[in-house]
Short mmCIF file of all heavy atoms in Angstrom, two decimals:
data_model
loop_
_atom_site.label_atom_id
_atom_site.label_comp_id
_atom_site.label_asym_id
_atom_site.label_seq_id
_atom_site.Cartn_x
_atom_site.Cartn_y
_atom_site.Cartn_z
N MET A 1 25.70 -14.15 3.42
CA MET A 1 24.28 -13.91 3.19
C MET A 1 23.90 -12.45 3.44
O MET A 1 24.30 -11.84 4.40
CB MET A 1 23.46 -14.82 4.12
CG MET A 1 21.94 -14.60 3.95
SD MET A 1 21.07 -15.15 5.42
CE MET A 1 19.44 -14.59 4.94
N LYS A 28 15.05 0.84 -9.92
CA LYS A 28 15.96 1.19 -11.02
C LYS A 28 15.11 1.68 -12.22
O LYS A 28 14.29 0.92 -12.72
CB LYS A 28 16.80 -0.04 -11.42
CG LYS A 28 17.83 -0.39 -10.40
CD LYS A 28 18.54 -1.67 -10.79
CE LYS A 28 19.36 -2.19 -9.58
NZ LYS A 28 19.78 -3.62 -9.77
N HIS A 44 10.22 -10.12 -8.00
CA HIS A 44 11.09 -11.22 -8.49
C HIS A 44 11.69 -11.83 -7.22
O HIS A 44 11.48 -12.94 -6.86
CB HIS A 44 12.14 -10.68 -9.47
CG HIS A 44 13.04 -11.72 -10.03
ND1 HIS A 44 12.76 -13.09 -10.00
CD2 HIS A 44 14.27 -11.65 -10.66
CE1 HIS A 44 13.77 -13.76 -10.55
NE2 HIS A 44 14.66 -12.94 -10.96
N GLN A 45 12.48 -10.96 -6.51
CA GLN A 45 12.75 -11.27 -5.08
C GLN A 45 11.68 -10.56 -4.31
O GLN A 45 11.33 -9.43 -4.57
CB GLN A 45 14.11 -10.76 -4.72
CG GLN A 45 14.43 -10.89 -3.21
CD GLN A 45 15.89 -10.56 -2.91
OE1 GLN A 45 16.70 -11.43 -2.77
NE2 GLN A 45 16.20 -9.28 -2.78
N MET A 46 11.14 -11.27 -3.29
CA MET A 46 10.07 -10.70 -2.47
C MET A 46 10.48 -10.61 -0.98
O MET A 46 10.89 -11.60 -0.44
CB MET A 46 8.79 -11.49 -2.63
CG MET A 46 8.15 -11.27 -4.04
SD MET A 46 6.87 -12.45 -4.44
CE MET A 46 7.86 -13.96 -4.61
N ASP A 68 -14.87 -10.32 0.43
CA ASP A 68 -15.16 -11.80 0.40
C ASP A 68 -14.07 -12.54 -0.33
O ASP A 68 -13.95 -13.80 -0.16
CB ASP A 68 -16.50 -12.06 -0.30
CG ASP A 68 -17.63 -11.37 0.39
OD1 ASP A 68 -17.66 -11.38 1.66
OD2 ASP A 68 -18.50 -10.84 -0.30
N ARG A 69 -13.33 -11.83 -1.15
CA ARG A 69 -12.37 -12.53 -2.03
C ARG A 69 -11.36 -11.51 -2.53
O ARG A 69 -11.71 -10.36 -2.76
CB ARG A 69 -13.17 -13.14 -3.21
CG ARG A 69 -12.36 -14.03 -4.12
CD ARG A 69 -13.28 -14.63 -5.18
NE ARG A 69 -14.26 -15.55 -4.63
CZ ARG A 69 -14.01 -16.84 -4.35
NH1 ARG A 69 -12.82 -17.33 -4.67
NH2 ARG A 69 -14.94 -17.61 -3.85
N VAL A 93 -7.87 -16.24 -2.00
CA VAL A 93 -7.15 -15.42 -2.98
C VAL A 93 -7.20 -16.20 -4.29
O VAL A 93 -6.88 -17.41 -4.31
CB VAL A 93 -5.68 -15.23 -2.57
CG1 VAL A 93 -4.88 -14.55 -3.64
CG2 VAL A 93 -5.62 -14.42 -1.27
N PHE A 95 -5.92 -16.06 -8.38
CA PHE A 95 -5.20 -15.31 -9.44
C PHE A 95 -5.69 -15.67 -10.80
O PHE A 95 -5.91 -16.84 -11.14
CB PHE A 95 -3.66 -15.46 -9.29
CG PHE A 95 -3.09 -16.83 -9.55
CD1 PHE A 95 -2.73 -17.26 -10.81
CD2 PHE A 95 -2.89 -17.70 -8.49
CE1 PHE A 95 -2.19 -18.50 -11.01
CE2 PHE A 95 -2.35 -18.95 -8.67
CZ PHE A 95 -1.98 -19.36 -9.93
N SER A 128 -11.49 -19.37 -13.35
CA SER A 128 -12.49 -20.42 -13.33
C SER A 128 -13.79 -19.93 -12.69
O SER A 128 -13.75 -19.24 -11.68
CB SER A 128 -11.97 -21.60 -12.50
OG SER A 128 -13.02 -22.50 -12.24
N GLU A 130 -15.77 -21.44 -11.00
CA GLU A 130 -15.93 -22.01 -9.65
C GLU A 130 -15.48 -21.06 -8.55
O GLU A 130 -15.91 -21.19 -7.40
CB GLU A 130 -15.05 -23.27 -9.47
CG GLU A 130 -15.48 -24.47 -10.22
CD GLU A 130 -14.50 -25.61 -10.00
OE1 GLU A 130 -14.50 -26.15 -8.91
OE2 GLU A 130 -13.71 -25.93 -10.93
N MET B 1 -21.96 -15.81 0.07
CA MET B 1 -20.51 -16.02 0.10
C MET B 1 -20.18 -17.43 0.69
O MET B 1 -20.73 -17.84 1.68
CB MET B 1 -19.89 -14.96 1.01
CG MET B 1 -18.37 -15.16 1.16
SD MET B 1 -17.75 -14.28 2.58
CE MET B 1 -16.06 -14.84 2.55
N LYS B 28 -9.55 -33.17 -8.27
CA LYS B 28 -10.29 -33.77 -9.41
C LYS B 28 -9.30 -34.44 -10.34
O LYS B 28 -8.40 -33.81 -10.85
CB LYS B 28 -11.04 -32.67 -10.19
CG LYS B 28 -12.18 -32.06 -9.38
CD LYS B 28 -12.81 -30.90 -10.13
CE LYS B 28 -13.79 -30.14 -9.21
NZ LYS B 28 -14.13 -28.82 -9.72
N HIS B 44 -4.86 -21.97 -7.94
CA HIS B 44 -5.67 -21.00 -8.77
C HIS B 44 -6.46 -20.19 -7.73
O HIS B 44 -6.22 -18.99 -7.55
CB HIS B 44 -6.58 -21.73 -9.73
CG HIS B 44 -7.39 -20.82 -10.64
ND1 HIS B 44 -7.06 -19.50 -10.82
CD2 HIS B 44 -8.47 -21.07 -11.40
CE1 HIS B 44 -7.97 -18.96 -11.68
NE2 HIS B 44 -8.82 -19.91 -12.04
N GLN B 45 -7.32 -20.86 -6.95
CA GLN B 45 -7.81 -20.30 -5.73
C GLN B 45 -6.86 -20.75 -4.61
O GLN B 45 -6.51 -21.97 -4.59
CB GLN B 45 -9.27 -20.75 -5.45
CG GLN B 45 -9.78 -20.28 -4.10
CD GLN B 45 -11.25 -20.56 -3.93
OE1 GLN B 45 -12.08 -19.69 -4.05
NE2 GLN B 45 -11.60 -21.83 -3.66
N MET B 46 -6.48 -19.89 -3.73
CA MET B 46 -5.57 -20.27 -2.70
C MET B 46 -6.19 -20.08 -1.29
O MET B 46 -6.65 -18.98 -0.99
CB MET B 46 -4.25 -19.49 -2.81
CG MET B 46 -3.41 -19.97 -4.04
SD MET B 46 -2.10 -18.82 -4.43
CE MET B 46 -3.08 -17.48 -5.03
N ARG B 69 17.40 -18.50 1.85
CA ARG B 69 16.58 -18.04 0.72
C ARG B 69 15.64 -19.13 0.28
O ARG B 69 16.00 -20.32 0.34
CB ARG B 69 17.55 -17.69 -0.44
CG ARG B 69 16.94 -16.99 -1.61
CD ARG B 69 18.01 -16.61 -2.61
NE ARG B 69 18.91 -15.60 -2.11
CZ ARG B 69 18.67 -14.26 -2.17
NH1 ARG B 69 17.54 -13.85 -2.71
NH2 ARG B 69 19.51 -13.40 -1.66
N VAL B 93 12.20 -14.46 -0.64
CA VAL B 93 11.62 -15.46 -1.55
C VAL B 93 11.85 -14.98 -3.00
O VAL B 93 11.60 -13.81 -3.30
CB VAL B 93 10.10 -15.59 -1.33
CG1 VAL B 93 9.48 -16.51 -2.38
CG2 VAL B 93 9.80 -16.12 0.10
N PHE B 95 11.23 -15.95 -7.12
CA PHE B 95 10.63 -16.92 -8.08
C PHE B 95 11.36 -16.86 -9.43
O PHE B 95 11.65 -15.75 -9.93
CB PHE B 95 9.12 -16.76 -8.19
CG PHE B 95 8.60 -15.48 -8.81
CD1 PHE B 95 8.46 -15.33 -10.17
CD2 PHE B 95 8.24 -14.42 -7.95
CE1 PHE B 95 7.96 -14.17 -10.71
CE2 PHE B 95 7.74 -13.27 -8.50
CZ PHE B 95 7.61 -13.12 -9.86
N SER B 128 17.52 -13.64 -11.74
CA SER B 128 18.49 -12.58 -11.82
C SER B 128 19.66 -12.95 -10.88
O SER B 128 19.51 -13.42 -9.76
CB SER B 128 17.89 -11.26 -11.35
OG SER B 128 18.89 -10.32 -11.10
N GLU B 130 21.40 -11.09 -9.29
CA GLU B 130 21.39 -10.25 -8.05
C GLU B 130 20.78 -10.97 -6.86
O GLU B 130 21.01 -10.58 -5.73
CB GLU B 130 20.52 -9.01 -8.29
CG GLU B 130 21.07 -7.98 -9.24
CD GLU B 130 20.10 -6.83 -9.35
OE1 GLU B 130 19.98 -6.04 -8.42
OE2 GLU B 130 19.48 -6.71 -10.42
#
Side-chain angles (χ1 to χ4, degrees):
Chain A
M1 177 201 173
K28 289 174 191 165
H44 181 18
Q45 174 171 262
M46 288 167 291
D68 300 319
R69 188 176 292 276
V93 174
F95 65 89
S128 168
E130 290 179 72
Chain B
M1 177 199 174
K28 291 174 190 165
H44 182 18
Q45 175 171 258
M46 289 166 291
R69 189 176 291 276
V93 174
F95 66 87
S128 168
E130 290 179 73

